[in-house]
mmCIF file with all atom_site columns, all heavy atoms in Angstrom:
data_model
loop_
_atom_site.group_PDB
_atom_site.id
_atom_site.type_symbol
_atom_site.label_atom_id
_atom_site.label_alt_id
_atom_site.label_comp_id
_atom_site.label_asym_id
_atom_site.label_entity_id
_atom_site.label_seq_id
_atom_site.pdbx_PDB_ins_code
_atom_site.Cartn_x
_atom_site.Cartn_y
_atom_site.Cartn_z
_atom_site.occupancy
_atom_site.B_iso_or_equiv
_atom_site.pdbx_formal_charge
_atom_site.auth_seq_id
_atom_site.auth_comp_id
_atom_site.auth_asym_id
_atom_site.auth_atom_id
_atom_site.pdbx_PDB_model_num
ATOM 1  N N   . VAL A 1 246 ? -10.909 35.640 19.485 1.00 98.00 ? 367 VAL A N   1
ATOM 2  C CA  . VAL A 1 246 ? -11.439 34.296 19.708 1.00 98.00 ? 367 VAL A CA  1
ATOM 3  C C   . VAL A 1 246 ? -12.951 34.364 19.894 1.00 98.00 ? 367 VAL A C   1
ATOM 4  O O   . VAL A 1 246 ? -13.463 35.131 20.710 1.00 98.00 ? 367 VAL A O   1
ATOM 5  C CB  . VAL A 1 246 ? -10.782 33.642 20.943 1.00 98.00 ? 367 VAL A CB  1
ATOM 6  C CG1 . VAL A 1 246 ? -11.417 32.281 21.231 1.00 98.00 ? 367 VAL A CG1 1
ATOM 7  C CG2 . VAL A 1 246 ? -9.286  33.501 20.737 1.00 98.00 ? 367 VAL A CG2 1
ATOM 8  N N   . ASN A 1 247 ? -13.667 33.536 19.113 1.00 98.00 ? 368 ASN A N   1
ATOM 9  C CA  . ASN A 1 247 ? -15.126 33.495 19.183 1.00 98.00 ? 368 ASN A CA  1
ATOM 10 C C   . ASN A 1 247 ? -15.574 32.065 18.893 1.00 98.00 ? 368 ASN A C   1
ATOM 11 O O   . ASN A 1 247 ? -15.632 31.646 17.730 1.00 98.00 ? 368 ASN A O   1
ATOM 12 C CB  . ASN A 1 247 ? -15.740 34.472 18.177 1.00 98.00 ? 368 ASN A CB  1
ATOM 13 C CG  . ASN A 1 247 ? -17.262 34.477 18.236 1.00 98.00 ? 368 ASN A CG  1
ATOM 14 O OD1 . ASN A 1 247 ? -17.856 34.013 19.207 1.00 98.00 ? 368 ASN A OD1 1
ATOM 15 N ND2 . ASN A 1 247 ? -17.891 34.983 17.190 1.00 98.00 ? 368 ASN A ND2 1
ATOM 16 N N   . ILE A 1 248 ? -15.846 31.292 19.946 1.00 98.00 ? 369 ILE A N   1
ATOM 17 C CA  . ILE A 1 248 ? -16.178 29.877 19.804 1.00 98.00 ? 369 ILE A CA  1
ATOM 18 C C   . ILE A 1 248 ? -17.661 29.658 20.104 1.00 98.00 ? 369 ILE A C   1
ATOM 19 O O   . ILE A 1 248 ? -18.180 30.151 21.104 1.00 98.00 ? 369 ILE A O   1
ATOM 20 C CB  . ILE A 1 248 ? -15.334 29.008 20.761 1.00 98.00 ? 369 ILE A CB  1
ATOM 21 C CG1 . ILE A 1 248 ? -13.840 29.239 20.517 1.00 98.00 ? 369 ILE A CG1 1
ATOM 22 C CG2 . ILE A 1 248 ? -15.690 27.529 20.589 1.00 98.00 ? 369 ILE A CG2 1
ATOM 23 C CD1 . ILE A 1 248 ? -12.946 28.558 21.542 1.00 98.00 ? 369 ILE A CD1 1
ATOM 24 N N   . GLU A 1 249 ? -18.330 28.909 19.229 1.00 97.00 ? 370 GLU A N   1
ATOM 25 C CA  . GLU A 1 249 ? -19.725 28.517 19.438 1.00 97.00 ? 370 GLU A CA  1
ATOM 26 C C   . GLU A 1 249 ? -19.765 27.009 19.651 1.00 97.00 ? 370 GLU A C   1
ATOM 27 O O   . GLU A 1 249 ? -19.272 26.246 18.812 1.00 97.00 ? 370 GLU A O   1
ATOM 28 C CB  . GLU A 1 249 ? -20.570 28.899 18.227 1.00 97.00 ? 370 GLU A CB  1
ATOM 29 C CG  . GLU A 1 249 ? -22.021 28.461 18.336 1.00 97.00 ? 370 GLU A CG  1
ATOM 30 C CD  . GLU A 1 249 ? -22.822 28.760 17.077 1.00 97.00 ? 370 GLU A CD  1
ATOM 31 O OE1 . GLU A 1 249 ? -22.362 29.584 16.256 1.00 97.00 ? 370 GLU A OE1 1
ATOM 32 O OE2 . GLU A 1 249 ? -23.894 28.161 16.910 1.00 97.00 ? 370 GLU A OE2 1
ATOM 33 N N   . TYR A 1 250 ? -20.343 26.575 20.758 1.00 98.00 ? 371 TYR A N   1
ATOM 34 C CA  . TYR A 1 250 ? -20.415 25.153 21.063 1.00 98.00 ? 371 TYR A CA  1
ATOM 35 C C   . TYR A 1 250 ? -21.748 24.599 20.569 1.00 98.00 ? 371 TYR A C   1
ATOM 36 O O   . TYR A 1 250 ? -22.815 25.118 20.909 1.00 98.00 ? 371 TYR A O   1
ATOM 37 C CB  . TYR A 1 250 ? -20.245 24.916 22.567 1.00 98.00 ? 371 TYR A CB  1
ATOM 38 C CG  . TYR A 1 250 ? -18.902 25.405 23.072 1.00 98.00 ? 371 TYR A CG  1
ATOM 39 C CD1 . TYR A 1 250 ? -18.810 26.593 23.804 1.00 98.00 ? 371 TYR A CD1 1
ATOM 40 C CD2 . TYR A 1 250 ? -17.731 24.720 22.767 1.00 98.00 ? 371 TYR A CD2 1
ATOM 41 C CE1 . TYR A 1 250 ? -17.583 27.059 24.244 1.00 98.00 ? 371 TYR A CE1 1
ATOM 42 C CE2 . TYR A 1 250 ? -16.498 25.177 23.205 1.00 98.00 ? 371 TYR A CE2 1
ATOM 43 C CZ  . TYR A 1 250 ? -16.434 26.350 23.936 1.00 98.00 ? 371 TYR A CZ  1
ATOM 44 O OH  . TYR A 1 250 ? -15.205 26.813 24.359 1.00 98.00 ? 371 TYR A OH  1
ATOM 45 N N   . ILE A 1 251 ? -21.664 23.543 19.750 1.00 97.00 ? 372 ILE A N   1
ATOM 46 C CA  . ILE A 1 251 ? -22.849 22.980 19.107 1.00 97.00 ? 372 ILE A CA  1
ATOM 47 C C   . ILE A 1 251 ? -23.076 21.541 19.564 1.00 97.00 ? 372 ILE A C   1
ATOM 48 O O   . ILE A 1 251 ? -22.163 20.897 20.098 1.00 97.00 ? 372 ILE A O   1
ATOM 49 C CB  . ILE A 1 251 ? -22.725 23.029 17.567 1.00 97.00 ? 372 ILE A CB  1
ATOM 50 C CG1 . ILE A 1 251 ? -21.528 22.181 17.107 1.00 97.00 ? 372 ILE A CG1 1
ATOM 51 C CG2 . ILE A 1 251 ? -22.587 24.467 17.089 1.00 97.00 ? 372 ILE A CG2 1
ATOM 52 C CD1 . ILE A 1 251 ? -21.395 22.060 15.589 1.00 97.00 ? 372 ILE A CD1 1
ATOM 53 N N   . ASP A 1 252 ? -24.280 21.030 19.358 1.00 97.00 ? 373 ASP A N   1
ATOM 54 C CA  . ASP A 1 252 ? -24.611 19.669 19.740 1.00 97.00 ? 373 ASP A CA  1
ATOM 55 C C   . ASP A 1 252 ? -23.817 18.662 18.919 1.00 97.00 ? 373 ASP A C   1
ATOM 56 O O   . ASP A 1 252 ? -23.622 18.838 17.709 1.00 97.00 ? 373 ASP A O   1
ATOM 57 C CB  . ASP A 1 252 ? -26.098 19.394 19.532 1.00 97.00 ? 373 ASP A CB  1
ATOM 58 C CG  . ASP A 1 252 ? -26.982 20.205 20.471 1.00 97.00 ? 373 ASP A CG  1
ATOM 59 O OD1 . ASP A 1 252 ? -26.494 20.562 21.554 1.00 97.00 ? 373 ASP A OD1 1
ATOM 60 O OD2 . ASP A 1 252 ? -28.139 20.481 20.112 1.00 97.00 ? 373 ASP A OD2 1
ATOM 61 N N   . MET A 1 253 ? -23.364 17.622 19.580 1.00 94.00 ? 374 MET A N   1
ATOM 62 C CA  . MET A 1 253 ? -22.704 16.512 18.901 1.00 94.00 ? 374 MET A CA  1
ATOM 63 C C   . MET A 1 253 ? -23.789 15.588 18.341 1.00 94.00 ? 374 MET A C   1
ATOM 64 O O   . MET A 1 253 ? -24.786 15.317 19.020 1.00 94.00 ? 374 MET A O   1
ATOM 65 C CB  . MET A 1 253 ? -21.818 15.735 19.878 1.00 94.00 ? 374 MET A CB  1
ATOM 66 C CG  . MET A 1 253 ? -20.989 14.631 19.233 1.00 94.00 ? 374 MET A CG  1
ATOM 67 S SD  . MET A 1 253 ? -20.037 13.676 20.470 1.00 94.00 ? 374 MET A SD  1
ATOM 68 C CE  . MET A 1 253 ? -18.941 14.939 21.130 1.00 94.00 ? 374 MET A CE  1
ATOM 69 N N   . PRO A 1 254 ? -23.634 15.092 17.097 1.00 91.00 ? 375 PRO A N   1
ATOM 70 C CA  . PRO A 1 254 ? -24.625 14.171 16.547 1.00 91.00 ? 375 PRO A CA  1
ATOM 71 C C   . PRO A 1 254 ? -24.836 12.961 17.445 1.00 91.00 ? 375 PRO A C   1
ATOM 72 O O   . PRO A 1 254 ? -23.881 12.436 18.036 1.00 91.00 ? 375 PRO A O   1
ATOM 73 C CB  . PRO A 1 254 ? -24.015 13.759 15.201 1.00 91.00 ? 375 PRO A CB  1
ATOM 74 C CG  . PRO A 1 254 ? -23.107 14.884 14.837 1.00 91.00 ? 375 PRO A CG  1
ATOM 75 C CD  . PRO A 1 254 ? -22.560 15.387 16.146 1.00 91.00 ? 375 PRO A CD  1
ATOM 76 N N   . ASP A 1 255 ? -26.077 12.535 17.569 1.00 91.00 ? 376 ASP A N   1
ATOM 77 C CA  . ASP A 1 255 ? -26.403 11.418 18.457 1.00 91.00 ? 376 ASP A CA  1
ATOM 78 C C   . ASP A 1 255 ? -25.594 10.173 18.133 1.00 91.00 ? 376 ASP A C   1
ATOM 79 O O   . ASP A 1 255 ? -25.155 9.453  19.035 1.00 91.00 ? 376 ASP A O   1
ATOM 80 C CB  . ASP A 1 255 ? -27.899 11.086 18.367 1.00 91.00 ? 376 ASP A CB  1
ATOM 81 C CG  . ASP A 1 255 ? -28.764 12.173 18.980 1.00 91.00 ? 376 ASP A CG  1
ATOM 82 O OD1 . ASP A 1 255 ? -28.234 12.976 19.777 1.00 91.00 ? 376 ASP A OD1 1
ATOM 83 O OD2 . ASP A 1 255 ? -29.960 12.227 18.663 1.00 91.00 ? 376 ASP A OD2 1
#
Side-chain angles (χ1 to χ4, degrees):
V367 176
N368 181 17
I369 303 172
E370 177 184 343
Y371 299 104
I372 62 175
D373 293 334
M374 185 184 297
D376 291 341

